[in-house]
Structure formats: structure tokens, C-alpha cells
Amino acid sequence: MKDHAPKRGYSEGPGFFEHALEKTAEMPKEKREIRKRKSRLKSIIAVFVSLAIIFGGGYFVYAKVMNYWRANTAVDYPGPGSGEVIISVEEGWTATDIGAELADKDVVASQKAFVKAAKAEPLSSSIQVGSYKMKLQMTADDALSILIDPNNRLRNNITFREGLRNSQVASLISASTGISTDEVSSAMESGEIGLPSYASGSEGYLFPETYEFDQSPSAKQILSQMTTHFKNVAGELELVPKAEKLGYTTQEIVTIASIIEKEIRHPEQAPDVAQVIYNRLKAGMKLRMDSTVHYAVGDSGETVMTTDEQRQIDSPYNTYKYEGLPPGPICNPGKTALAAALNPSKGDYMFFVTVNIETGETRFAATEEEHSENVKMFQQYCREHDGC
């Protein structure tokens, strides 16, 4: 009978398997545990691959296998990486959470590699919430170095000027972030943006300023920052106690400030406009402010004058038609207007009119006769210019 060569992987005598077992037994306990873990991991991978073959959907199963492998093995890419991807770190995330996100987006090869790097770097505890621009297939150390530097956090600056209405604020947020105006408006009306207790709505309480946000802020985050700033400024100005001292509610003071904001062209005019408003209120006169009519009809309010037709609109915001203050603010006033509403100048002014639209020159008067002369100056200006 013809002899057969031994099969591959098999040897005669005190066998291969016996020698393998003896070598394993001689290993230190730590190495034996590592070998066991690797063996279990390979078994799990083999099961997933088998499922892919049996049931199909191979790519899906492959992706699951790779995610599991990356989460349980401290493999690392050689770097330096390529391409670009935006990674967002959320509130409350640990190094493990961040590592999982980075591995899932293929920024690092494994969650464990990142966690290992983070444990070795004390500054890893200072990683800030926000968005970061990173490469694909970076080393864990390189990925960590980006995250621990706050200067790498992507930012979105939005400037809100004084006197914007809520509708204009919503449009600006939408243009800057891509959030729909409907979503912003819903957030404004949600009651979840930190409005002060005395506010009847968000109009008037979204403080104008330049704000810095993360790359992808929510409408609630943006608006909450604006209302928080309003409350800080209100505290500095002592808005609540000074309103009470003047004999008005805090909401009424903010409403007065919003009218001042829309009526002035220069900050130094604000206290005198405030004086006119208070004097008219005390005298029981209609305010007759074009700014409130612009709000009532819903136009931009960028023009000075209103038409006869506009002044006939039946709205509580039409101060040509109704006495007293309108129901609420007509815009979001800044600090100058709020300060003027709390500290009007002293005097007998009852009227004012802008006599030069280009320069913003405004004349104040205590009597109708004086005011009539000032109006004539404005009419003369309009005859000579096209800006009226």
C-alpha cells in the first residue's frame, strides 16, 4: 500500500496540539487572557460573517462587525488622514462617547484607541461641547489634539442690530443657520427660552447683540442666549425697581423703550424722545407715533412717514387712533433705549419731528406753534429731496 504524505497542519509523534497546549500553559496569565479575548472576538466576527452569507445583506452585517471590532480593539490609523468631516460633541459626553462617535465617522480606527489617548492626556477633560472640523482616518492622538484646543471649535457669529422685530430676528437666524423661520417662531412662542416673568411674549426681550454659537445651534439655544442677555442688561439698569418707581409696569417700560428705539436716529436723542412719550401719557394725549403704525400694518418700518390710509388702521398698536401705550413692544430695544425709558430728560417737550432724513436731525418742541414751524422745515426738506 502506497504511503501518503502527512496532511498540512498535522505532525506525527508527540503532536502539534500537545505542544501548543503546553506553550499556552506556560504563558503568563495576562497574555493568556488577551489570547482568550481575541479568540472570542474572532468567533463573534466569524458568526457575523456566516450570517451575512446565510441571510444576505452582507454590507450591513460587515458594517456591524467592523463597528464591534473597532469598539473592542485598540487599533489605530497611521495617519495623518485625509478629507474632511464635521464632528459634534454633545453635552454630557465622556471620552468613551466621543470615541464611539469618532470611530463611527471613521475619524479614528477604534473607540478604544481614542479612549486610551484621552486617558493619557489630562487636557482631555476640558473638551468643549460643539462642532469640530476633522479628517478621516486620523491617529487617535491627532484627533484628540484637535478636540482639546478650544480654538478649533467651529463657531457661528450672528449680529442682531437694535430695533429688529421678532419676524426679522427669525429671518436672520434662518439665513445664518438654515433653521426654518417656522421653527424659530415656534421656539419664540414655546415659553421655553428663558423669558423674564414679566414678559407677555418674546417681542422686546431678544436682546440685540453679536452672539457666538456652535456650528449647528438649535433655535432654542440661540433665543435663550438672547433672553439671558436681556435679563443681564435689565439687572444692570435696575429695570424692575426703576419701572415701579416711575409708576409703570416693567412690560410698559420695555414697550416705551421699543418705541424710542424705532423713533431715534442718534443715541443722544433717546432721553428727549422718552420725555415726549411720558409727557403725552401724563397729559392723556395720543402718542401719534409712526413707528407703532408701521408695526400695526406689518411693513418694514424703515421709512419715517406713514400714509393717511395706514394711520386709519383699526389696531391697538395704532397710537394715532388709540390713547396710551400699545399692548406690547414693537421691536427688540437695545441698552440705550432701555436706559432712556428709565431716565427720560426733564422738560416740557410734547412734540418732535425729524427735519432731515439723511442726517437724522430732529427738532423738539413744547408747543404746537413751535412744532408747526419744525414740520414746515421737514416739508421743505421733502420738496427738495426724494427721501420722503
Side-chain angles (χ1 to χ4, degrees):
M1 186 173 180
K2 190 173 181 180
D3 292 337
H4 292 279
K7 294 179 180 179
R8 181 180 296 179
Y10 174 80
S11 61
E12 296 180 351
F16 170 82
F17 294 108
E18 284 85 350
H19 285 299
L21 289 170
E22 288 173 6
K23 289 182 179 180
T24 301
E26 292 170 2
M27 284 183 183
K29 183 179 179 180
E30 182 178 336
K31 288 188 176 181
R32 292 202 304 271
E33 290 299 322
I34 291 173
R35 174 169 285 191
K36 287 179 182 178
R37 285 197 298 270
K38 288 183 176 179
S39 178
R40 285 197 297 268
L41 185 59
K42 288 178 181 178
S43 298
I44 292 170
I45 291 173
V47 170
F48 274 120
V49 172
S50 298
L51 289 173
I53 295 171
I54 295 169
F55 297 107
Y59 178 79
F60 173 77
V61 177
Y62 169 78
K64 291 294 185 183
V65 171
M66 293 306 296
N67 287 341
Y68 184 89
W69 178 64
R70 288 176 179 174
N72 290 275
T73 310
V75 294
D76 203 359
Y77 285 128
S82 62
E84 181 181 299
V85 62
I86 303 299
I87 297 296
S88 295
V89 176
E90 297 184 11
E91 188 73 38
W93 275 15
T94 63
T96 302
D97 298 318
I98 298 172
E101 177 71 7
L102 294 175
D104 184 61
K105 297 291 174 54
D106 201 26
V107 174
V108 299
S110 68
Q111 180 189 52
K112 278 197 170 183
F114 180 81
V115 172
K116 181 180 177 182
K119 285 182 177 179
E121 173 54 73
L123 291 176
S124 63
S125 61
S126 66
I127 294 175
Q128 297 182 11
V129 172
S131 299
Y132 300 81
K133 184 185 294 184
M134 308 185 82
K135 295 180 180 179
L136 296 170
Q137 301 186 355
M138 304 175 69
T139 67
D141 285 334
D142 287 347
L144 180 63
S145 67
I146 289 176
L147 294 174
I148 62 177
D149 185 350
N151 292 322
N152 290 327
R153 186 163 60 92
L154 298 178
R155 294 169 173 83
N156 191 351
N157 293 337
I158 308 177
T159 298
F160 301 93
R161 62 179 174 81
E162 291 85 351
L164 293 180
R165 300 175 190 168
N166 280 9
S167 58
Q168 294 170 311
V169 169
S171 295
L172 185 53
I173 291 174
S174 181
S176 301
T177 66
I179 303 172
S180 71
T181 54
D182 287 343
E183 186 176 344
V184 178
S185 297
S186 294
M188 288 177 178
E189 298 168 4
S190 68
E192 298 178 354
I193 59 173
L195 289 168
S197 58
Y198 46 79
S200 62
S202 57
E203 188 84 79
Y205 300 94
L206 305 178
F207 196 82
E209 185 59 270
T210 296
Y211 294 92
E212 181 182 277
F213 305 103
D214 290 331
Q215 181 74 359
S216 302
S218 67
K220 181 180 176 181
Q221 288 173 328
I222 297 172
L223 298 171
S224 295
Q225 192 167 334
M226 298 177 78
T227 57
T228 296
H229 195 16
F230 175 90
K231 288 185 285 190
N232 290 338
V233 172
E236 292 175 18
L237 296 175
E238 299 181 23
L239 180 60
V240 175
K242 286 188 176 181
E244 185 177 353
K245 187 175 180 181
L246 287 168
Y248 290 87
T249 67
T250 310
Q251 169 86 352
E252 288 173 334
I253 294 297
V254 177
T255 300
I256 291 170
S258 71
I259 297 173
I260 295 170
E261 187 67 72
K262 297 301 290 185
E263 292 288 345
I264 65 172
R265 286 282 299 276
H266 302 292
E268 61 270 17
Q269 299 168 349
D272 287 342
V273 171
Q275 179 191 150
V276 171
I277 292 172
Y278 283 115
N279 285 344
R280 281 179 165 259
L281 290 172
K282 290 175 184 176
M285 295 175 61
K286 295 174 183 175
L287 293 181
R288 298 173 65 85
M289 299 287 173
D290 289 320
S291 57
T292 66
V293 176
H294 285 301
Y295 187 84
V297 300
D299 67 13
S300 65
E302 300 303 321
T303 58
V304 175
M305 299 294 292
T306 54
T307 65
D308 290 338
E309 182 181 1
Q310 289 174 325
R311 291 191 292 272
Q312 295 302 314
I313 186 172
D314 188 10
S315 166
Y317 286 91
N318 183 356
T319 55
Y320 277 86
K321 191 175 185 68
Y322 294 98
E323 293 181 10
L325 291 169
I330 61 171
C331 72
N332 292 287
K335 189 173 184 178
T336 296
L338 286 166
L342 293 170
N343 302 281
S345 59
K346 305 295 182 182
D348 299 322
Y349 288 153
M350 300 291 286
F351 309 91
F352 67 93
V353 60
T354 299
V355 297
N356 188 314
I357 295 175
E358 291 178 340
T359 65
E361 180 185 355
T362 299
R363 295 292 182 94
F364 293 84
T367 66
E368 289 193 23
E369 290 76 18
E370 292 172 333
H371 181 58
S372 295
E373 292 301 314
N374 293 334
V375 170
K376 289 178 182 178
M377 292 179 62
F378 172 67
Q379 292 170 340
Q380 178 64 31
Y381 171 88
C382 286
R383 284 192 291 269
E384 298 172 356
H385 299 79
D386 297 327
C388 297

